Amino acid sequence: MLELGFGLADLACTRFAFSPLWEVVASVRVLKSPQEHPLHRAWVAAVRPRLDASGLDWGMLADLVPVPTRVIPAFVCPPPVTTSPDLEVELATLRSTPPGHVDVGDSPRLAVLREDPGAGLERLAGVIRDYWAITLAPYWPRIRTLLEGDILYRARQLAEGGAARLLNDLDPAVSWRDDTLSIVHRHVSGVRELGGRGLLLVPSVFVWPRLFSVTAPPWQPTLRYSPRGVATLWERRGSGAPQALAAVLGRSRALILAELDVPASTTGLSGGTGMSMGGISGHLTALRDAGLVNAHRSGRHVLYSRSEAGEALLAAARPSPEGPAG
């Protein structure tokens, strides 16, 4: 059991953020041990062949994320200092890690980090950037939408019921009582006083079913937990284009936007929609120009995915599960 002691200043400094860099690290655990993460089976099935075909040597990153996971070196995924950093901001923090904080094991692939931390961190940042482009960038708008939705929900809890409601609802393994946050933790126990630094709460799609924490200085104490709705992340959200969206974009473009529940190539979209390759390309160009679709290169192929604006537009156009209010 890990117990975090709060003072008044800690409650005032408690905040939320999400972290693309942490999602990279947590997703490595999933790829290294997919049988332990059935929730992400669809993602693994889609990205593992692309990762293998890319020729990327990501062994350096893999060795920094052991499975089974007891400890991940904190410098690999430092807690974010802003609410919604992009990956490049977090990689800049990674590259600026003081040499004394670069603590790695004896893997031969990590020798550069031990012998020349500056050069090793630059190399690691490059590996992470390439890994991100192949495995997570096409899915990031969907992931980010889920994370932002969770943070908004938690903020509403705080406003309506205070810290007690917020902290008691984070996870079944987390409970709040008498100014102490108790966490049923696999590998960490003891009492830690936050000491006025507050607690950083980071929802993470790849952390399920575990919780991960950071309590060692110099980083802000951090708790990484699963967001609401993570079990639905990779589900297809219904076939066909909403009629309301088709009326605005046209049936073909609305259908393409709806098909991008999973990032796809022009060939894949042509097969899924029955449209010609030329027609697909023209519609994708229009959707990209409107900011509704992003393109991501994966080896010799280009994958298309909905942007955050495309996610929001499609969600707004689809009827709620309850149907229209009567």
Side-chain angles (χ1 to χ4, degrees):
M1 179 77 72
L2 174 64
E3 296 184 334
L4 302 179
F6 280 70
L8 183 60
D10 296 305
L11 286 173
C13 293
T14 292
R15 64 186 181 92
F16 284 91
F18 54 80
S19 169
L21 180 54
W22 166 255
E23 296 298 346
V24 166
V25 170
S27 74
V28 169
R29 294 178 57 251
V30 175
L31 283 179
K32 289 180 69 174
S33 185
Q35 69 279 4
E36 297 182 13
H37 303 275
L39 190 67
H40 300 298
R41 185 180 294 114
W43 175 80
V44 171
V47 306
R48 189 62 197 241
R50 295 204 298 265
L51 189 60
D52 292 343
S54 72
L56 174 66
D57 180 1
W58 57 290
M60 184 183 192
L61 176 60
D63 285 358
L64 286 166
V65 187
V67 173
T69 308
R70 288 182 60 87
V71 177
I72 298 172
F75 78 88
V76 180
C77 46
V81 296
T82 62
T83 299
S84 53
D86 62 28
L87 182 66
E88 288 303 321
V89 168
E90 294 197 285
L91 289 180
T93 301
L94 171 71
R95 294 197 304 271
S96 66
T97 303
H101 290 152
V102 180
D103 182 19
V104 299
D106 57 2
S107 164
R109 292 189 289 200
L110 302 180
V112 66
L113 283 167
R114 294 190 297 270
E115 298 165 3
D116 187 347
L121 290 170
E122 287 289 344
R123 184 182 302 177
L124 176 61
V127 171
I128 290 173
R129 187 181 293 110
D130 292 342
Y131 174 95
W132 166 270
I134 296 167
T135 64
L136 288 179
Y139 303 92
W140 184 242
R142 176 184 288 200
I143 293 172
R144 178 170 177 153
T145 297
L146 183 69
L147 299 178
E148 288 180 333
D150 183 81
I151 291 175
L152 288 173
Y153 171 78
R154 307 295 177 187
R156 189 161 58 246
Q157 282 189 309
L158 181 63
E160 295 175 352
R165 179 183 294 184
L166 164 66
L167 296 172
N168 274 316
D169 188 57
L170 281 176
D171 189 275
V174 176
S175 59
W176 167 263
R177 184 178 179 184
D178 297 333
D179 298 333
T180 298
L181 190 68
S182 299
I183 305 163
V184 179
H185 206 296
R186 290 188 184 184
H187 304 297
V188 181
S189 61
V191 179
R192 310 282 194 277
E193 296 295 331
L194 297 183
R197 296 173 294 167
L199 182 64
L200 175 61
L201 297 167
V202 180
S204 166
V205 300
F206 289 106
V207 78
W208 186 91
R210 290 182 57 179
L211 296 163
F212 281 82
S213 61
V214 177
T215 57
W219 295 280
Q220 182 179 13
T222 301
L223 181 64
R224 293 160 172 144
Y225 67 94
S226 297
R228 299 170 71 252
V230 68
T232 67
L233 180 62
W234 308 120
E235 290 181 357
R236 291 192 63 85
R237 303 173 188 176
S239 59
Q243 292 183 357
L245 190 59
V248 175
L249 298 180
R251 180 185 175 279
S252 294
R253 291 174 187 173
L255 180 59
I256 290 171
L257 199 63
E259 283 290 312
L260 290 175
D261 274 337
V262 176
S265 64
T266 52
T267 301
L269 287 168
S270 177
T273 62
M275 301 181 209
S276 68
M277 294 281 287
I280 291 289
S281 295
H283 292 313
L284 284 171
T285 297
L287 290 169
R288 285 186 66 188
D289 290 345
L292 301 178
V293 166
N294 293 326
H296 310 271
R297 180 163 293 280
S298 178
R300 294 172 295 174
H301 305 287
V302 176
L303 297 178
Y304 295 89
S305 65
R306 288 193 292 263
S307 67
E308 292 175 43
E311 290 281 351
L313 183 62
L314 190 63
R318 280 178 170 153
S320 65
E322 294 80 11

